[in-house]
Amino acid sequence: MEDLIRRRLQYGAAVAACLGGFCLGCCLGWNSPCSELLKQNYKFATLERNLIGAALPLGCLLGVIIVPFLVDRIGRKTTMLIIIPPFVFGWLLIIFAFSHVPLYVIGRFITGFFSGMYCVLTPMYCAEISEKEIRGTLGVFFQLLLVIGILFAFCTGYMNDVMWISILNGITPIVFGVILFFMPESPLYFIMKGKDEMAIKAMENFRGANFDVGPEISEFKKIVDIDKEESVGCKYLFKKSLRKVLCVAYGLMIAQQLSGINAIIFYGVTIFEATGTEMDSLTQNVCVGIVQVIACTVSALIVDKVGRKSLMIVSEIIMCFCLVALGIFFSIQKNNPDILTKISWLPLTSCSLYIFAFCIGAGPIPWSYMGEIFPTKIKGTASSSAALLNWFLAFVVTISFESIAETIGNHTTMFLFAGICLFSVVFLFFTMLETKGKTFSEIQQAFGTIENELN
């Protein structure tokens, strides 16, 4: 209890920063209730609604490219703050779009562009302000606040009006900015800028009174000094140790986006309807959102006890089994529909368990892990490249999934995603290093990006 009180600012600052994830969740969740309303109220065609939906991941994809040019120049906190006004402007375009498709597309692109930047900024900030004993928990906060944002957006769907749904979701960046304004900047950023006194003051704020911040400040200075000894050029970027770190980061993003999560969300209503439930689609979405929040809460509570690698592997294994079960269901639906009533429990159970498994591991860990493993001098660039891959895969899956499912069948598609999950388990088992309880120096030594004798 004493440690919890002492660390209150670490938890508070992490929650404040992760409100950026909440804002992103609102952007992601907005499309679910509004797409059908746009169809009913303004007779938007399927292509128009698909363009509105796809504009967000496209914006996220391009937005993360900007992060490296800002984050090490003006700071983590400042970067998160200065992008709020254009973020709000994007929401204003959506609020006053009414029946104008181009305004929705532009607004969604802008909100995606700026909200996607938080995928890089928030995990980086949380990793740098937290003690090693709770770094995993604070890292999971991003995904937790993201799914709470999605749930909030789903709940605003009960307003049954696109403008009011947009207003309620659009005020969240303003609230985020007001709260974050009072939080300290990352101590590591101050050290990178040679502002040691400001770094010490920030660290003392985060660690509490009477806590010796000297060892952590010394470690940060050592990491920065080591980074300064070697310039960042093509030779550095192709070092074997760095290639390994990038390979693991990219592998985590591939495992997340190609695990079938978008397929499950896309086919959620179809699967639930196949069970014969009378629950409407909006309520089903809210139920899925609740499962996500519960799972991410569980993940935050156990990640620093169980470890990142173990949770990630267990998550992928459970998702693999759930996808196989759904593949079997779709196969029976196609070839022997008469016996569907006997397994009506299978889709709902599989989907719920799949969502739970995704949110305890494959959802939050790639983002939090990314904030831990990269050397300081390339953290912004490397994290942005991993986020870029993530949103590129999200965009491709969003655009192409329906066509793929129609071509090879729903059951084959589920089996394909299950195979990817199985491959991910093997890949992660042999390449992912555990970071639980390790300092940044120890993590870099484990990956070989700094020499052991420099410890």
Side-chain angles (χ1 to χ4, degrees), residues 153-437:
F154 287 170
C155 290
T156 61
Y158 287 108
M159 297 294 294
N160 205 36
D161 184 284
V162 174
M163 187 181 75
W164 277 107
I165 293 172
S166 302
I167 289 173
L168 291 173
N169 287 280
I171 62 175
T172 57
I174 300 174
V175 177
F176 166 50
V178 171
I179 296 174
L180 183 65
F181 180 81
F182 296 98
M183 298 298 115
E185 178 59 89
S186 162
L188 181 56
Y189 167 73
F190 284 135
I191 291 176
M192 291 171 63
K193 293 300 181 182
K195 301 177 180 179
D196 291 1
E197 291 185 4
M198 296 180 70
I200 292 172
K201 183 179 179 180
M203 187 69 83
E204 288 175 344
N205 287 332
F206 283 123
R207 298 299 180 260
N210 303 320
F211 187 89
D212 183 12
V213 301
E216 285 186 275
I217 292 293
S218 297
E219 184 203 346
F220 279 0
K221 292 179 70 173
K222 181 179 71 173
I223 293 173
V224 172
D225 289 341
I226 292 171
D227 287 343
K228 288 179 179 178
E229 293 176 2
E230 191 172 5
S231 60
V232 180
C234 292
K235 182 179 179 181
Y236 181 82
L237 293 174
F238 285 97
K239 285 180 61 175
K240 181 179 179 180
S241 58
L242 187 56
R243 291 201 307 269
K244 180 179 180 181
V245 179
L246 288 170
C247 181
V248 174
Y250 294 162
L252 283 167
M253 295 305 178
I254 293 171
Q256 182 192 80
Q257 282 300 326
L258 299 187
S259 64
I261 182 63
N262 291 296
I264 296 299
I265 292 175
F266 185 88
Y267 268 98
V269 174
T270 301
I271 293 170
F272 292 142
E273 287 179 350
T275 66
T277 179
E278 296 180 357
M279 189 181 299
D280 65 81
S281 59
L282 182 57
T283 303
Q284 291 168 10
N285 276 337
V286 171
C287 290
V288 169
I290 293 172
V291 170
Q292 289 178 318
V293 172
I294 293 172
C296 283
T297 303
V298 172
S299 180
L301 292 174
I302 67 175
V303 65
D304 280 313
K305 297 180 177 65
V306 177
R308 288 67 153 157
K309 182 175 181 177
S310 299
L311 269 184
M312 189 71 190
I313 290 177
V314 169
S315 173
E316 292 286 342
I317 290 174
I318 294 175
M319 288 191 296
C320 179
F321 280 111
C322 292
L323 288 165
V324 169
L326 286 172
I328 292 173
F329 175 83
F330 278 124
S331 181
I332 293 174
Q333 184 185 52
K334 178 181 179 181
N335 300 313
N336 197 1
D338 295 337
I339 66 171
L340 279 182
T341 55
K342 297 180 180 179
I343 56 170
S344 60
W345 54 270
L346 183 60
L348 181 58
T349 304
S350 298
C351 286
S352 299
L353 184 58
Y354 175 93
I355 293 293
F356 188 90
F358 178 85
C359 288
I360 65 168
I365 288 177
W367 298 115
S368 62
Y369 197 77
M370 188 174 63
E372 299 178 308
I373 62 176
F374 292 120
T376 305
K377 61 183 172 183
I378 64 155
K379 184 177 288 188
T381 302
S383 297
S384 294
S385 68
L388 176 66
L389 174 62
N390 184 285
W391 284 111
F392 172 75
L393 292 173
F395 176 75
V396 170
V397 171
T398 302
I399 289 294
S400 63
F401 175 75
E402 186 173 7
S403 298
I404 293 174
E406 289 177 354
T407 302
I408 65 176
N410 297 336
H411 60 295
T412 306
T413 305
M414 295 299 167
F415 290 141
L416 177 62
F417 283 130
I420 294 173
C421 288
L422 183 60
F423 176 79
S424 297
V425 170
V426 177
F427 172 83
L428 296 171
F429 181 83
F430 288 104
T431 63
M432 189 176 179
L433 300 180
E434 183 55 67
T435 59
K436 179 184 69 172

Side-chain angles (χ1 to χ4, degrees), residues 222 433 439-455:
K222 181 179 71 173
L433 300 180
T439 65
F440 287 137
S441 293
E442 291 168 342
I443 292 170
Q444 291 189 36
Q445 288 168 11
F447 275 108
T449 50
I450 61 174
E451 300 297 329
N452 288 330
E453 57 264 25
L454 291 173
N455 189 19

Side-chain angles (χ1 to χ4, degrees), residues 52-70:
I52 293 171
L56 182 82
L58 180 61
C60 292
L61 189 155
L62 298 177
V64 298
I65 300 174
I66 307 299
V67 175
F69 299 100
L70 298 174

